[in-house]
Amino acid sequence: MKAHDGMYIDGDWRPAAGTESISVVNPADEQVIGQVPAGTAEDVDAAVRAARAALPGWAATPPAERAARLAALRDVLAARKEEIAETVTAELGSPLEFSRLVHAGVPIAVAGSYAELAAEYAFEEQVGNSRVLLEPVGVVGAITPWNYPLHQIVAKAGPALAAGCTLVLKPAEDTPLTAQLFAEAVHEAGIPAGVFNLVTGLGPVAGQALAEHEGVDLVSFTGSTAVGRAIGATAGAAVKRVALELGGKSANVVLPGADLAKAVNVGVANVMSNTGQTCSAWTRLLVHEDSYEEAVGLAAAAAAKYGDRIGPVVNAKQHERVRGYIAKGVAEGARLVAGGPEAPREHGYYVSPTVFADVTPEMTIAQEEIFGPVLSILKYRDEDEAVRIANGTVYGLAGAVWAADEETAVAFARRLDTGQVDINGGRFNPRAPFGGYKQSGVGRELGAHGLTEYLQTKSLQL
Ligand code: NAD
């Protein structure tokens, strides 16, 4: 695995200002696979200056040319797909097949969607006697997590570049090698120097310096609600734009008459994929009391099949945290029907695919984001109660509804306080807006809605 001993700033790999470094660990065997520099405020400042200097040129670049650079970026990512998959597997631990399909495949699709959007989007519109110009917001500070390391970078860099913004990325400390690979791809795609810059480093040091930098016009953050809240407060005090993509505790609601086996099996697969480290995972399964025990049996059997097919969680801290939540579920009286808190292997940060039945809405495991392979099954008596339970957390990021027909499922979905709902197993759409209601965040990513986060309007009265 190649690791750069420097920051990608102004089109070049430059030595870091400080001497500290971060060890990258493979969570499957706990071995160190590389070192990257731990950036300081000085590195962040150099990167923001480079982004600011490049802004006028990139903002004035015709959208068709920005689209061509994004198409080239998509092509480089596609050409280096296998290397991306191997890098994500090495630092995140996901099975290689999943890394190929999702961790490498989805960012290629998203980069492609922004190449198309940059070409087709109307950056000017007429409103009565006004010509409204949609202009880039400026320099973007992007702070990303480790759970979908490349997707979360491309979900910010794609629309930022399409809009004409320049950016500085501070990726998660657990997955910096994927971010370095992305910087190489940006370079290969011929995106001009300074338009994209990378500073690796610790959240409270480099991340905070980026969020607080007065040369940044928009902070786009994905990660925990605690850090998101602090970033939102900092941005608010500076009257600076902010986009927050935070946690979730989404519900998978099976209505009477739905295909129960399909709903449960797809639901378990959704929670177990990426070892449960998905902010939009449907971690609460809501089933009518008449089908409850059948659903519990199906879920336990489905989880058991995942036994050794899932990867580890990302690091030692998450390993402790996730198993702590499982122990808490047992202590609060939920019925364990698959898995448990014991580490299933001696080495690597593995967690057993776990299913709890008899979970009540106020339990910790029904309220807090666990970020591990843990499913909670709750019981409802009627639709109103199902809506109350589904909406009864501080989050509102995603969800699923299954019913005998689409119309019934859609009618139920309209009552959910959440940003995205899959109806009877609807497919992922890289152009559909993604983002949260309530404490799941502010703003939207992906597609045209994601692009507008990076634009500001200027009205000319003619
Ligand atoms: P985190 O919020 O600490 O980290 C996300 C990013 O923010 C990283 O790049 C990190 O370096 C940076 N960061 C951390 N502190 C910062 C600060 N003070 N200022 C600026 N940037 C800072 O998340 P984590 O510790 O990696 O994970 C903890 C929990 O967050 C998880 O268990 C999960 O519940 C949640 N999470 C959610 C998502 C999501 O997609 N919504 C992703 C990852 C983690």
Side-chain angles (χ1 to χ4, degrees):
M1 216 76 358
K2 187 170 155 198
H4 288 274
D5 184 20
M7 308 300 184
Y8 183 73
I9 295 176
D10 206 15
D12 218 346
W13 292 93
R14 290 194 192 171
T19 54
E20 302 283 310
S21 65
I22 296 172
S23 297
V24 186
V25 174
N26 183 334
D29 59 11
E30 303 176 40
Q31 299 299 306
V32 174
I33 54 169
Q35 304 276 342
V36 298
T40 59
E42 219 177 305
D43 298 299
V44 168
D45 187 55
V48 173
R49 282 171 193 278
R52 182 130 311 269
L55 181 63
W58 186 245
T61 301
E65 172 56 20
R66 299 202 298 258
R69 291 301 109 224
L70 275 162
L73 177 62
R74 174 204 56 209
D75 293 346
V76 176
L77 294 176
R80 298 181 70 173
K81 189 173 177 185
E82 191 60 22
E83 199 185 342
I84 292 167
E86 283 170 8
T87 305
V88 174
T89 289
E91 54 184 6
L92 180 66
S94 49
L96 191 56
E97 205 39 55
F98 187 76
S99 295
R100 286 189 184 113
L101 199 70
V102 176
H103 290 301
V106 173
I108 294 167
V110 173
S113 77
Y114 279 110
E116 289 163 13
L117 272 164
E120 73 196 30
Y121 197 77
F123 289 94
E124 281 188 27
E125 59 193 35
Q126 198 69 28
V127 180
N129 67 318
S130 301
R131 185 178 305 160
V132 180
L133 311 181
L134 290 106
E135 300 186 333
V137 294
V139 174
V140 176
I143 301 174
T144 54
W146 42 263
N147 58 331
Y148 287 87
L150 186 59
H151 169 64
Q152 278 139 343
I153 291 171
V154 175
K156 298 186 191 309
L161 296 174
C165 294
T166 58
L167 71 158
V168 177
L169 168 68
K170 204 305 282 175
E173 32 282 77
D174 289 295
T175 53
L177 301 181
T178 304
Q180 291 191 338
L181 216 162
F182 179 74
E184 288 181 11
V186 164
H187 193 85
E188 248 184 273
I191 291 170
V195 171
F196 171 86
N197 306 275
L198 170 70
V199 175
T200 51
L202 301 176
V205 182
Q208 195 164 331
L210 183 58
E212 288 174 350
H213 201 293
E214 57 183 30
V216 169
D217 301 299
L218 161 70
V219 182
S220 180
F221 170 82
T222 301
S224 64
T225 301
V227 176
R229 195 174 281 130
I231 287 179
T234 304
V239 196
K240 183 183 288 194
R241 285 187 176 216
V242 66
L244 304 172
E245 207 274 271
L246 308 176
K249 192 72 193 175
S250 299
N252 179 14
V253 185
V254 189
L255 295 175
D259 181 340
L260 185 69
K262 189 173 176 198
V264 172
N265 284 323
V266 173
V268 169
N270 172 284
V271 173
M272 299 307 161
S273 78
N274 214 35
T275 321
Q277 303 168 117
T278 305
C279 44
S280 56
W282 313 327
T283 50
R284 294 178 300 148
L285 176 63
L286 273 59
V287 185
H288 189 269
E289 57 185 352
D290 291 347
S291 327
Y292 191 78
E293 283 309 323
E294 192 186 348
V296 169
L298 287 165
K305 276 195 253 154
Y306 279 87
D308 46 12
R309 278 170 39 213
I310 62 170
V313 293
V314 71
N315 59 31
K317 191 173 140 206
Q318 288 297 102
H319 197 223
E320 281 302 305
R321 189 171 173 271
V322 171
R323 290 182 305 124
Y325 271 116
I326 298 174
K328 193 147 198 181
V330 174
E332 289 185 3
R335 173 165 51 115
L336 197 57
V337 295
E342 301 78 24
R345 297 195 204 179
E346 203 182 324
H347 297 292
Y349 306 126
Y350 289 90
V351 177
S352 297
T354 296
V355 178
F356 280 109
D358 299 343
V359 177
T360 53
E362 69 289 349
M363 284 182 186
T364 306
I365 55 169
Q367 288 293 325
E368 295 185 15
E369 185 176 50
I370 299 174
F371 237 56
V374 184
L375 175 68
S376 296
I377 314 182
L378 295 96
K379 187 185 295 179
Y380 68 82
R381 278 162 302 199
D382 56 37
E383 275 199 20
D384 287 347
E385 189 181 23
V387 170
R388 262 198 316 278
I389 296 172
N391 289 339
T393 76
V394 297
Y395 295 115
L397 190 56
V401 181
W402 304 78
D405 57 84
E406 191 175 296
E407 208 183 317
T408 308
V410 168
F412 187 90
R414 286 184 194 278
R415 302 176 69 189
L416 296 179
D417 301 331
T418 192
Q420 194 165 91
V421 185
D422 289 0
I423 302 294
N424 283 339
R427 279 181 299 119
F428 172 70
N429 176 359
R431 279 198 178 218
F434 178 82
Y437 280 34
K438 301 191 282 183
Q439 289 185 29
S440 285
V442 175
R444 292 291 178 269
E445 295 200 307
L446 304 183
H449 294 82
L451 180 58
T452 61
E453 298 284 331
Y454 295 84
L455 295 167
Q456 56 191 344
T457 55
K458 180 185 285 171
S459 305
L460 309 181
Q461 281 61 244
L462 307 171

